[in-house]
Amino acid sequence: MTEPITFPDGFVWGTATAAYQIEGAATEDGRGASIWDTFSHTPGAVRDGDTGDVACDHYHRYREDVGLMRELGIGAYRFSLAWPRLQPQGRGPLHPGGVGFYDRLLDELHAAGIRPWVTLYHWDLPQALEDAGGWPERDTALRFAEYAAAVHERFADRIPDWTTLNEPWCSAFLGYASGVHAPGRRDPAASLRAAHHLLLGHGLAVEAMRSTRPDLRYGITLNLYPTVAASADPADAEAARRVDGQSNRLFLDPLLAGRYPADVLADLEPIAGTAHIRDGDEKQIAVPLDVLGVNYYTRHVVRGGKPDEDFERDASWVLAPDVEKVRTGAPRTEMGWEIHPDGLYDTLVRVSRDYDAPPLFVTENGAAFADVVDADGRVRDQQRIDFLDGHFRAAARAIADGVDLRGYFVWSLMDNFEWAWGYARRFGLVHVDYATQQRTPKDSARWFAGVARANGITG
Ligand code: FCB
């Protein structure tokens, strides 16, 4: 028996997905191509040559998937809208094919009593906009704001919670610096311009949406990492400053404090200059928010200086090319990410303490393990249960210490296309057999349903 814990009344429990990772139907009903279609079809880009062409076939099976959530008693569902379904070329009027699909999905959620929590951009930039230069171009921010305004005008009556971007750090640095995500470019200067234009697009989009419906809630989701120096050596402290600057403060400061952090700007100058940051941009980025989404998976332990075999370089840290990531001896998930529940506590407390932050939601947390379906049809994923249990407890401690945390979405509802890993990593509460599209709730799904029902862990 473990200690029971309870969350505040009204705490939101949900599961999360993203369009490209689950929908499939990549060319149906007028959908245009996105950078992930192009990237996943590029030989060598995604493990085993996997693509999102079919994925979980959610486009056709959404009724069954919503039914699963209803049976499990999950009250909220975070999902993303596919920009290339709604604007196949990244501009112009909304396409009826995409509008029809999201209308059907929202009808189904409404009938099941599940609250929709919508992300406008979870990485699937229309390929036409990448062809015009992508996020490193300022115009992409303007296109995003137009897309947001058009979608919001059509769906505002049905969607109370609007998230602009999911993890702009990944879009900018995995997409344009290390190139392990779409569009697969390796251009540090471009990645820094992309980060700025993503934030600018966010600010413009929130302003446009709020102008017509100030009664709805607007936010953004960031992936945040506590960043710890491996030792008291000043070189390690400097490494931690740079990585924290680029991973966390480069996004938190302009969004919540109205300006880029001076030390990060100084790091950035020799790489990309600062001419892309125009007068007024910081003010635009700092539009008031109703919600901040926090995605938490792991922490970074870093050191400066020369690598040896215990260290790995993270090529996405363009502002810290000489920094090495330390592999601690702690247990890891199948992604190789250190399991460190206290890091969620540290992250939530840090955001609340260092910033004038709006209410927080954990919009993603979860783990990949090598799940197997046993002969009796059950998936005994005790490791995932333990992982979530530890992180829920860390969240409860943060609340007890004064953090205004209002909800928690588990990544993910079901196994899906895990970006550069293709189908080789399973994050779901529900197992998906990709050959038959059969869904099987894992033990963790039932356990999570119990947590959501009890609004806590009963012991
Ligand atoms: C996050 C992404 C999400 C999923 C998880 C594992 O960075 O937002 O789509 O891939 O990682």
Side-chain angles (χ1 to χ4, degrees):
M1 273 304 266
T2 50
E3 194 60 22
I5 50 167
T6 309
F7 284 80
D9 283 347
F11 196 79
V12 174
W13 293 100
T15 57
T17 64
Y20 189 72
Q21 296 180 275
I22 64 165
E23 285 182 2
T27 54
E28 271 178 63
D29 297 333
R31 181 181 173 286
S34 82
I35 54 176
W36 270 98
D37 295 295
T38 308
F39 187 72
S40 66
H41 281 271
T42 304
V46 174
R47 182 158 163 156
D48 300 330
D50 288 342
T51 74
D53 288 1
V54 177
C56 306
D57 196 31
H58 173 76
Y59 190 79
H60 300 113
R61 295 168 196 261
Y62 65 94
R63 280 201 182 87
E64 179 185 349
D65 295 335
V66 173
L68 270 169
M69 283 190 277
R70 192 192 48 228
E71 275 162 39
L72 291 167
I74 292 165
Y77 178 46
R78 173 177 180 256
F79 62 99
S80 79
L81 307 179
W83 188 348
R85 275 194 204 290
L86 291 159
Q87 286 185 324
Q89 299 303 315
R91 59 184 79 226
L94 297 186
H95 193 285
V99 169
F101 173 63
Y102 293 114
D103 261 335
R104 295 192 293 280
L105 175 59
L106 287 162
D107 285 347
E108 204 67 21
L109 289 167
H110 182 73
I114 297 170
R115 165 174 166 181
W117 182 290
V118 165
T119 304
L120 284 159
Y121 184 70
H122 201 126
W123 306 354
D124 45 359
L125 185 72
Q127 182 60 42
L129 296 186
E130 176 60 23
D131 294 343
W135 286 110
E137 290 299 319
R138 192 176 176 92
D139 188 58
T140 304
L142 310 184
R143 297 283 75 75
F144 175 69
E146 275 181 21
Y147 153 69
V151 173
H152 177 265
E153 187 186 3
R154 177 62 177 71
F155 289 105
D157 287 344
R158 317 195 63 193
I159 300 173
D161 293 287
W162 293 82
T163 301
T164 52
L165 307 174
N166 176 70
E167 301 188 350
W169 180 89
C170 293
S171 299
F173 297 118
L174 300 182
Y176 293 93
S178 68
V180 299
H181 279 187
R185 282 161 63 178
R186 292 193 186 145
D187 179 345
S191 74
L192 289 162
R193 292 199 302 276
H196 179 64
H197 296 140
L198 282 150
L199 288 169
L200 181 63
H202 154 81
L204 292 166
V206 170
E207 182 179 273
M209 294 189 288
R210 200 189 291 284
S211 70
T212 59
R213 289 295 301 266
D215 54 320
L216 305 181
R217 287 177 299 276
Y218 304 98
I220 185 170
T221 276
L222 301 178
N223 49 321
L224 300 175
Y225 305 88
T227 306
V228 186
S231 80
D233 187 319
D236 295 355
E238 167 64 4
R241 180 195 68 74
R242 281 179 170 249
V243 171
D244 177 53
Q246 180 176 333
S247 310
N248 302 315
R249 291 183 292 115
L250 180 62
F251 298 91
L252 287 167
D253 283 28
L255 287 164
L256 301 178
R259 36 154 188 73
Y260 280 112
D263 63 315
V264 180
L265 274 192
D267 293 342
L268 189 157
E269 240 258 291
I271 302 168
T274 51
H276 55 284
I277 305 171
R278 297 193 190 159
D279 280 355
D281 285 0
E282 286 170 303
K283 184 154 185 287
Q284 183 69 56
I285 292 167
V287 286
L289 297 180
D290 305 294
V291 160
L292 178 69
V294 174
N295 290 358
Y296 175 75
Y297 287 97
T298 191
R299 67 168 174 169
H300 299 316
V301 181
V302 297
R303 70 163 218 183
K306 289 203 204 75
D308 64 34
E309 76 249 25
D310 289 338
F311 299 97
E312 57 185 323
R313 182 181 296 281
D314 192 322
S316 59
W317 293 339
V318 298
L319 298 180
D322 52 354
V323 167
E324 309 300 324
K325 210 158 150 175
V326 177
R327 280 191 158 257
T328 66
R332 292 166 177 267
T333 68
E334 218 203 349
M335 296 296 282
W337 298 343
E338 179 186 344
I339 301 175
H340 189 66
D342 285 350
L344 175 59
Y345 173 88
D346 295 341
T347 299
L348 297 171
V349 168
R350 189 259 181 112
V351 171
S352 306
R353 186 195 58 208
D354 291 359
Y355 298 91
D356 183 12
L360 305 181
F361 284 74
V362 173
T363 38
E364 283 180 31
N365 172 244
F369 292 109
D371 304 314
V372 287
V373 184
D374 290 336
D376 62 358
R378 239 175 92 183
V379 181
R380 293 172 168 79
D381 59 339
Q382 187 61 39
Q383 283 178 291
R384 184 170 290 103
I385 295 174
D386 294 343
F387 179 98
L388 293 173
D389 181 284
H391 287 77
F392 292 172
R393 288 173 191 279
R397 272 190 286 122
I399 295 171
D401 288 349
V403 172
D404 186 5
L405 179 71
R406 307 266 179 103
Y408 205 119
F409 292 82
V410 172
W411 185 271
S412 177
L413 169 63
M414 56 187 161
D415 296 336
N416 57 48
F417 176 82
E418 179 45 39
W419 309 114
W421 290 92
Y423 299 100
R425 290 293 178 274
R426 295 180 176 274
F427 275 89
L429 295 171
V430 173
H431 182 273
V432 176
D433 178 336
Y434 295 108
T436 61
Q437 292 295 347
Q438 191 183 331
R439 275 76 163 137
T440 306
K442 304 177 190 176
D443 282 2
S444 61
R446 291 183 230 288
W447 177 83
F448 178 60
V451 172
R453 207 178 316 117
N455 195 29
I457 303 176
T458 48

